[in-house]
């Protein structure tokens, strides 16, 4: 693994930490807070590719489980008993699935990016909700009905994350250009029906992560 890849993986692990620590309360829904963690998980898959995006999230999880308080309620191995840990546990899956689906596209448009990233988010929520229900119902002991009753609030967060993913995909071409990962690409910023980009001219970041050179094997 090259130094550049290590730096990018570390960078997105740090962004995931920052995204979880920033929270904005919604006036009409005080129990719901806007965070940017899922956004940065999706970005790690889109920009780094599936494999390195997954590595970035694994680094984030390991940092938290060894005791560094990077999770919303602290850190440590006992955090696995928190109902919300399922969402954290799903981050590597989300990043990998997002990057994997993008890598399978012959052409890349904003619309395709959005669908790939949304698939990753839905997988993340499926894992997170299942984990939350199991912990609340069987470990905390509140019962299955009480656990299921908390799902509607989670769905509000899902809508919020889908909107943020939408905005990320609109900004993706400019982000890739800013970080110097789109040297030969020409993006058309036309919303979700933006111009296609051939997979043969995929970004340098994705190329180095999804197709390692012989020296990296």
């Amino acid at each position: 693994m090259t130094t550049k890849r290590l730096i990018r993986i570390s960078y997105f692990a740090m962004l995931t930490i920052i995204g979880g620590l920033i929270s904005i309360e919604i006036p009409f829904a005080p129990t719901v807070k806007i965070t940017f963690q899922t956004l940065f998980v999706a970005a790690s898959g889109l920009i780094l590719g599936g494999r390195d995006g997954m590595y970035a999230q694994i680094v984030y999880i390991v940092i938290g489980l060894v005791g560094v308080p990077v999770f919303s309620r602290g850190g440590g191995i006992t955090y696995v008993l928190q109902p919300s840990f399922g969402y954290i546990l799903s981050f590597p899956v989300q990043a990998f699935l997002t990057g994997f689906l993008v890598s399978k596209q012959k052409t890349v448009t904003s619309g395709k990016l959005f669908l790939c990233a949304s698939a990753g988010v839905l997988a993340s929520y499926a894992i997170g909700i299942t984990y939350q229900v199991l912990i609340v119902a069987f470990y905390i002991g509140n019962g299955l009905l009480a656990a299921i009753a908390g799902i509607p609030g989670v769905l509000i967060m899902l809508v919020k994350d889908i909107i943020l993913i939408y905005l990320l995909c609109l900004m993706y071409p400019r982000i890739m250009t800013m970080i110097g990962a789109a040297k030969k690409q020409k993006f058309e910023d036309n919303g979700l029906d933006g111009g296609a980009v051939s997979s043969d001219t995929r970004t340098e970041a994705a190329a180095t992560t999804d197709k390692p050179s012989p020296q990296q094997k």
Side-chain angles (χ1 to χ4, degrees), residues 120-148:
V121 172
L122 292 175
S124 175
Y125 270 81
I127 295 172
I129 290 173
T130 301
Y131 194 98
Q132 176 178 318
V133 169
L134 292 176
I135 292 294
V136 172
F138 300 107
Y139 174 72
I140 298 178
N142 287 349
L144 187 59
L145 291 178
I148 295 175

Side-chain angles (χ1 to χ4, degrees), residues 150-162:
I151 293 179
V154 174
L155 296 180
I156 295 176
M157 302 301 294
L158 173 60
V159 173
K160 175 266 297 182
D161 285 330
I162 290 295

Side-chain angles (χ1 to χ4, degrees), residues 90-174:
S90 72
F91 287 168
V93 176
Q94 179 190 344
F96 178 80
L97 181 60
T98 298
F100 174 78
L101 291 176
V102 172
S103 70
K104 294 302 179 181
Q105 306 303 313
K106 292 183 179 180
T107 58
V108 176
T109 65
S110 296
K112 288 183 178 180
L113 290 174
F114 176 67
L115 291 176
C116 293
S118 295
V121 172
L122 292 175
S124 175
Y125 270 81
I127 295 172
I129 290 173
T130 301
Y131 194 98
Q132 176 178 318
V133 169
L134 292 176
I135 292 294
V136 172
F138 300 107
Y139 174 72
I140 298 178
N142 287 349
L144 187 59
L145 291 178
I148 295 175
I151 293 179
V154 174
L155 296 180
I156 295 176
M157 302 301 294
L158 173 60
V159 173
K160 175 266 297 182
D161 285 330
I162 290 295
I163 293 174
L164 290 177
I165 295 301
Y166 175 90
L167 296 176
L168 171 65
C169 292
L170 291 180
M171 297 172 60
Y172 177 82
R174 295 180 183 178

